[in-house]
């Protein structure tokens, strides 16, 4: 009897060990699927000045922006996004598509291939339960009205395609500049928002503001009316933009404007030059205090200070600590 009892105990122990081994071999993605950012928060919306989840609780997104997918298409891949999600705490990916620079959407670039890259990026982010920003990345065009017709066609396509998803943001003009007034931007935005809302009634739309998306205080004096789930973008680079710029954001919030930092870096505004971690930490404290979401520029190995990867990094996913630049190491540590 004692012998049989011992055998039964050994069999139970073996079965338990087998279960433990099987659990240990499950893919990380499957284990974490129930707690992905989108699964946890559901469809986001705008309430007052804040981004809130499906339960009405304030949410602060920690995002990473690609560099221009025109230049660096290789970083639009699932392994890269998964590494950012699992190891960096990132819950939002911004897909930056330049409109006029190198191979730009409105300057001779392959539009079908660029749309395909965005669709792939949305697919990977969605499979990983992450939020994703489709960014119409104006820069040298300055005034978004210049390519308004193409923007309307582009966002009509995207809104029809993604109207039933709950993880999409549309950023309709990255950084208006060159003296473009808020009235001009507002007119452009109203037209593009109208076409998006014809198909997609709920996903959040991000509107750029004058002077490289810094004059949110100006936009706050005359916000867009008649639509819900609209936010206004503010961009900063910590080694150039300090407390006076935080005051601009504070003024906008006090006037009731919902602000979203869809791009920032810890270098100078050129994207290069010195790194200022001290000022960057001040910005993080300010953003978290005010429940403002933020997206860091940029996921690439370009030889400049704001790149999150070292120039020597050849990996396009599964990044190691040794692959990260100063900016990358800093941002990975942000909680």
């Amino acid at each position: 009897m004692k012998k049989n009892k011992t055998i039964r105990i050994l069999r139970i122990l073996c079965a338990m060990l087998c279960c433990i081994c099987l659990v240990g071999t499950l893919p990380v993605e499957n284990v974490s699927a129930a707690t992905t950012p989108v699964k946890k928060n559901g469809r986001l919306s705008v309430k007052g000045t804040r981004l809130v989840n499906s339960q009405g609780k304030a949410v602060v997104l920690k995002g990473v922006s690609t560099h221009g997918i025109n230049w660096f298409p290789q970083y639009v891949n699932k392994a890269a996004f998964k590494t950012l999600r699992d190891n960096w705490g990132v819950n939002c990916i911004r897909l930056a598509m330049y409109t006029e620079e190198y191979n730009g959407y409105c300057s001779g670039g392959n539009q079908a291939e660029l749309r395909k890259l965005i669709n792939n990026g949305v697919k990977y982010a969605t499979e990983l339960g992450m939020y994703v920003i489709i960014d119409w990345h104006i820069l040298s065009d300055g005034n978004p009205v210049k390519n308004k017709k193409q923007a309307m066609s582009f966002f009509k396509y995207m809104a029809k395609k993604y109207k039933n998803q709950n993880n999409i943001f549309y950023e309709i003009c990255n950084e208006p500049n060159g003296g473009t007034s808020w009235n001009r931007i507002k007119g452009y935005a109203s037209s593009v928002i109208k076409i998006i809302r014809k198909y997609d009634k709920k996903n959040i739309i991000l509107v750029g503001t004058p002077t490289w998306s810094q004059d949110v205080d100006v936009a706050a004096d005359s916000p867009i009316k008649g639509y819900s789930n609209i936010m206004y973008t503010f961009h900063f680079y910590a080694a150039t933009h300090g407390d006076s710029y935080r005051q601009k954001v504070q003024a906008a919030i006090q006037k009731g404007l919902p602000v979203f930092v869809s791009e920032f870096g810890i270098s100078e505004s050129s994207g290069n030059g010195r790194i200022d971690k001290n000022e960057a930490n001040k910005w993080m404290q300010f953003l978290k205090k005010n429940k403002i979401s933020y997206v860091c520029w940029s996921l690439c190995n370009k030889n400049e200070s704001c790149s999150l990867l070292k120039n020597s990094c050849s990996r396009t996913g599964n990044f190691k600590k040794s692959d990260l630049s100063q900016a990358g190491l800093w941002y990975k540590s942000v909680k």
Side-chain angles (χ1 to χ4, degrees), residues 73-272:
Q74 65 269 35
Y75 295 103
V76 181
N77 71 80
K78 194 171 181 178
F81 297 175
K82 186 174 185 298
T83 303
L84 295 172
R85 184 195 70 175
D86 295 348
N87 297 344
W88 297 41
V90 166
N91 48 23
C92 178
I93 296 293
R94 181 186 190 229
L95 302 169
M97 186 193 70
Y98 279 80
T99 52
E100 286 215 347
E101 277 68 21
Y102 174 77
N103 288 332
Y105 194 84
C106 304
S107 60
N110 188 321
Q111 294 187 353
E113 284 300 312
L114 290 168
R115 287 195 302 270
K116 183 178 177 181
L117 263 175
I118 288 176
N119 291 334
N120 286 342
V122 172
K123 176 176 179 286
Y124 304 143
T126 302
E127 288 172 352
L128 292 165
M130 303 173 78
Y131 297 96
V132 58
I133 300 170
I134 298 171
D135 168 33
W136 182 257
H137 201 87
I138 73 162
L139 193 61
S140 64
D141 18 359
N143 188 337
V145 175
K146 181 179 180 182
N147 293 308
K148 175 181 171 180
K149 187 178 291 187
Q150 295 211 58
M152 291 179 69
S153 176
F154 174 83
F155 282 109
K156 177 181 178 180
Y157 166 87
M158 292 296 168
K160 288 176 73 173
K161 187 172 182 66
Y162 296 117
K163 62 184 177 182
N164 295 320
Q165 291 196 197
N166 65 350
N167 64 327
I168 307 294
F169 287 74
Y170 304 103
E171 185 170 2
I172 63 174
C173 49
N174 165 59
E175 288 184 352
N177 61 79
T180 304
S181 70
W182 171 239
N183 281 339
R184 297 296 299 279
I185 299 164
K186 187 178 177 183
Y188 161 86
S190 296
S191 297
V192 177
I193 291 168
K194 184 177 180 180
I195 197 75
I196 291 173
R197 285 290 180 253
K198 182 177 179 180
Y199 303 98
D200 188 333
K201 309 297 184 186
K202 295 181 178 179
N203 280 312
I204 293 169
I205 298 171
L206 304 177
V207 180
T209 55
T211 319
W212 294 280
S213 284
Q214 290 168 0
D215 293 344
V216 284
D217 50 338
V218 174
D221 289 331
S222 180
I224 295 163
K225 303 289 186 181
Y227 297 98
S228 60
N229 290 337
I230 306 296
M231 302 189 84
Y232 300 80
T233 62
F234 178 82
H235 293 179
F236 72 88
Y237 282 80
T240 300
H241 306 121
D243 189 58
S244 63
Y245 290 86
R246 286 189 285 276
Q247 290 176 24
K248 288 170 75 71
V249 179
Q250 192 67 58
I253 293 169
Q254 288 173 349
K255 292 174 184 176
L257 198 77
V259 175
F260 190 110
V261 174
S262 60
E263 182 182 316
F264 84 95
I266 66 171
S267 67
E268 298 173 20
S269 59
S270 65
N272 219 335

Side-chain angles (χ1 to χ4, degrees), residues 41 43-47 50-54 56-59:
N41 290 297
R43 181 183 293 280
L44 305 181
S45 59
V46 180
K47 184 178 181 181
R50 293 180 173 177
L51 194 60
V52 299
N53 65 15
S54 56
K57 183 180 178 182
V59 171

